[in-house]
Amino acid sequence: DVQLQASGGGLAQAGGSLRLSCTASGVTFDDYAIGWFRQAPGKPREGVACIGGTDGITYYADSVKGRFTISSDAAKATMYLQMNSLKPEDTAVYYCAAVRLRFTARADEYHYWGQGTLVTVSS
């Protein structure tokens, strides 16, 4: 049974940093694509960053390239999203997700979702 637990959200000032964590049970990172998605009020859920387990292929939304970094630590069964140079438009609920595929950045292909953690960036 796969379970994901996201944490690390909070309030940050524009230009600041936060690191989100997502602990995973029942997931072998080598066999799963993992990703971070976000949803702002009144907007659809969007992919932020994804990584494939087998070869480490990554995807970043254009809006976060150069500022966010996705990573994982298989020994700790934890995935991370390091967010630097935060902007007010990064304010959203952030979700971690996993699926037993080589790689995908499509939210509708992810099977397992964490509960979400709120990130608020003030100007």
Side-chain angles (χ1 to χ4, degrees), residues 29-34 50-59 70 72 101-104 110:
F29 284 172
D30 283 350
D31 298 331
Y32 282 73
I34 56 176
C50 304
I51 187 169
T54 302
D55 53 16
I57 186 172
T58 56
Y59 159 84
I70 187 172
S72 64
L101 290 174
R102 174 179 169 269
F103 178 78
T104 182
Y110 278 78

Side-chain angles (χ1 to χ4, degrees), residues 6-68:
S7 62
L11 178 64
Q13 291 188 332
S17 298
L18 284 174
R19 188 176 78 159
L20 305 184
S21 299
C22 178
T23 56
S25 60
V27 172
T28 304
F29 284 172
D30 283 350
D31 298 331
Y32 282 73
I34 56 176
W36 288 94
F37 298 80
R38 68 185 179 186
Q39 187 164 20
K43 295 187 177 181
R45 187 171 297 190
E46 65 169 342
V48 176
C50 304
I51 187 169
T54 302
D55 53 16
I57 186 172
T58 56
Y59 159 84
Y60 290 96
D62 288 343
S63 58
V64 307
K65 282 180 181 176
R67 301 189 297 121
F68 291 10

Side-chain angles (χ1 to χ4, degrees), residues 64-114:
V64 307
K65 282 180 181 176
R67 301 189 297 121
F68 291 10
T69 303
I70 187 172
S71 63
S72 64
D73 185 333
K76 296 182 178 179
T78 302
M79 54 192 284
Y80 303 97
L81 184 68
Q82 179 66 43
M83 305 186 295
N84 299 329
S85 302
L86 284 164
K87 303 176 180 181
E89 51 264 43
D90 294 320
T91 296
V93 177
Y94 283 72
Y95 300 88
C96 55
V99 62
R100 190 163 182 156
L101 290 174
R102 174 179 169 269
F103 178 78
T104 182
R106 290 180 50 175
D108 61 356
E109 293 187 336
Y110 278 78
H111 290 167
Y112 306 104
W113 292 84

